[in-house]
Amino acid sequence: MSVTDETVMFGDVVEDFLTDRATLTRRGLNDKSRNAYRQDIAAWARQLHVDDGGDPEAEALALVPISALTDQNVRIAYRSLRESSAAATCQRRVGTLRLFTHWLQLEGHLLVDPTLRIEAPERPSRLPAGWSVDELRRLARVASAPREGTDRRRWPTRDRAIFAVLVTTGVRAAELCDLTVGSIRREPDGETLVRVIGKGDKQRNLPMPPEAVDAVDAYLAELEARFGSPDPADGLFLLTSGKRLRPGALNHLVETWIRLAGVPKQPGEAAHAFRHSAAKGLIRSGVPVPAVQGLLGHEDLKTTGIYVKATASDTRDAVLLSPAREVLRETAVASEPIVTREDRAVRERPA
């Protein structure tokens, strides 16, 4: 099939591409990964459709032919996507398009790769931020304390449990929202673990400190009082309506804590700042980097190493803010010039 074939649309082949990726990828594809690939391909189809004068609200996957993937069209779409997307998002979408067009070539739908002249933007080299102990203390007070008003959506016991799990385990927002009642495991030795399903459906069991266990147990007691005895498969953290907490609602909740506590909003999604805070706190406390890697679920130790670099940056900042610098400046004295052996020999030479 040649590139001039107008009959094959994006929507005709995208599922075949995803099935092929799931078959050939070492770890396969879970639902989240499939949806992410599908959304990226849809974004390219939508941009190509808009650039051709189409309706941005139309279902572009069904309207845009594969033949629209020419070198010129892709370059125009890429410029538009760069202007409207963050660097990380644009970088990911370029990667998806490269995989997609390579597959289209192998399947005979394209003769040439239209992405050869595209260079994805580099991600900004931004070190992960995090809250100080004092800022975390202020957030904890806000999350734990009942607030004035009659808003039925407020649930301080639940909020304190959410705060406790986020700040002590460093789980991602999606991981926290995916927890079930059965994810909390009581071991015979008295230890309590939380079973987390991370990226690539990889499981990790994270120990919970007693303070976090107390917060979760208090919430579970209220949960049962409100909705009856839960099933182990039921979602752990619920809205007051009984529906499962989702990442969007979680981030909105954390943003409320941030506003009420008067702490700085960190870059990125609100709940993710707890992950940074937990990681940097462990590094500062001397926890070995591989142990932090296991806690966070990082595949590559280099990813965890970013927190080591960030913590070192905090140390440098602390040194620069040291009041001892002022003491040294105030007591500085002019140093006498150094006399070298050659200078001394010249001075002592007879006239």
Side-chain angles (χ1 to χ4, degrees):
M1 186 177 296
S2 73
V3 74
T4 57
D5 194 332
E6 298 283 346
T7 62
V8 179
M9 301 295 172
F10 270 65
D12 295 331
V13 296
V14 65
E15 296 303 324
D16 290 339
F17 164 71
L18 294 175
T19 299
D20 194 67
R21 289 298 300 164
T23 303
L24 298 180
T25 303
R26 176 166 50 90
R27 294 177 300 171
L29 288 181
N30 57 27
D31 290 342
K32 292 180 182 177
S33 297
R34 291 179 72 96
N35 288 336
Y37 276 125
R38 190 181 293 107
Q39 289 170 9
D40 286 344
I41 293 172
W44 283 104
R46 188 182 309 110
Q47 191 60 56
L48 290 167
H49 186 58
V50 169
D51 291 340
D52 194 42
D55 180 2
E57 300 298 325
E59 182 53 53
L61 286 174
L63 298 174
V64 179
I66 294 301
S67 60
L69 286 169
T70 65
D71 180 77
Q72 181 178 2
N73 288 347
V74 168
R75 281 189 285 117
I76 293 173
Y78 174 60
R79 283 198 294 268
S80 299
L81 287 173
R82 283 200 67 167
E83 292 174 358
S84 61
S85 306
T89 301
C90 194
Q91 186 184 66
R92 189 195 69 239
R93 284 178 174 167
V94 169
T96 298
L97 183 64
R98 285 193 171 125
L99 290 172
F100 186 49
T101 55
H102 179 66
W103 179 82
L104 289 171
Q105 282 184 282
L106 293 176
E107 293 294 312
H109 297 298
L110 283 179
L111 297 180
V112 295
D113 185 352
T115 68
L116 292 177
R117 297 174 63 184
I118 289 180
E119 291 187 9
E122 294 184 359
R123 295 194 183 203
S125 56
R126 184 181 64 201
L127 294 177
W131 288 301
S132 67
V133 174
D134 180 65
E135 289 167 342
L136 289 173
R137 188 178 293 113
R138 287 151 61 186
L139 286 164
R141 288 170 179 157
V142 166
S144 306
R147 298 194 294 275
E148 295 180 0
T150 57
D151 190 343
R152 295 182 179 179
R153 293 173 297 178
R154 295 170 180 163
W155 193 349
T157 308
R158 178 207 59 188
D159 294 357
R160 179 172 175 79
I162 290 173
F163 174 90
V165 174
L166 286 173
V167 79
T168 59
T169 66
V171 294
R172 301 176 178 93
E175 291 173 345
L176 181 130
C177 292
D178 286 341
L179 294 178
T180 65
V181 173
S183 298
I184 306 298
R185 294 173 45 194
R186 322 283 176 163
E187 298 297 300
D189 61 1
E191 185 178 31
T192 300
L193 304 176
V194 56
R195 185 179 64 249
V196 176
I197 307 298
K199 292 183 177 180
D201 288 332
K202 287 192 173 182
Q203 177 179 308
R204 61 190 195 277
N205 294 306
L206 309 179
M208 292 175 59
E211 297 81 4
V213 175
D214 290 344
V216 170
D217 284 346
Y219 161 66
L220 286 173
E222 286 196 11
L223 180 69
E224 184 171 355
R226 289 190 181 209
F227 301 109
S229 182
D231 187 85
D234 291 342
L236 176 60
F237 292 115
L238 306 182
L239 301 173
T240 52
S241 63
K243 294 182 180 179
R244 195 166 190 155
L245 181 70
R246 297 298 180 188
L250 172 62
N251 282 301
H252 178 72
L253 180 65
V254 175
E255 286 169 0
T256 302
W257 299 346
I258 291 170
R259 176 174 52 83
L260 294 175
V263 301
K265 170 75 166 63
Q266 306 290 349
E269 66 173 19
H272 205 72
F274 283 107
R275 184 170 170 84
H276 298 322
S277 302
K280 292 174 71 174
L282 291 171
I283 296 293
R284 289 193 193 100
S285 299
V287 177
V289 176
V292 179
Q293 177 191 14
L295 182 72
L296 299 179
H298 288 155
E299 287 194 0
D300 194 335
L301 191 61
K302 292 180 181 178
T303 306
T304 315
I306 294 173
Y307 292 102
V308 179
K309 184 177 180 181
T311 305
S313 176
D314 292 344
T315 303
R316 287 194 298 272
D317 291 343
V319 169
L320 292 175
L321 294 171
S322 171
R325 297 182 66 204
E326 184 66 26
V327 173
L328 292 173
R329 283 195 294 266
E330 291 175 353
T331 57
V333 294
S335 59
E336 295 183 0
I338 298 175
V339 179
T340 65
R341 182 180 302 174
E342 290 77 10
D343 292 336
R344 190 177 297 109
V346 170
R347 292 179 183 177
E348 295 175 353
R349 185 179 303 163

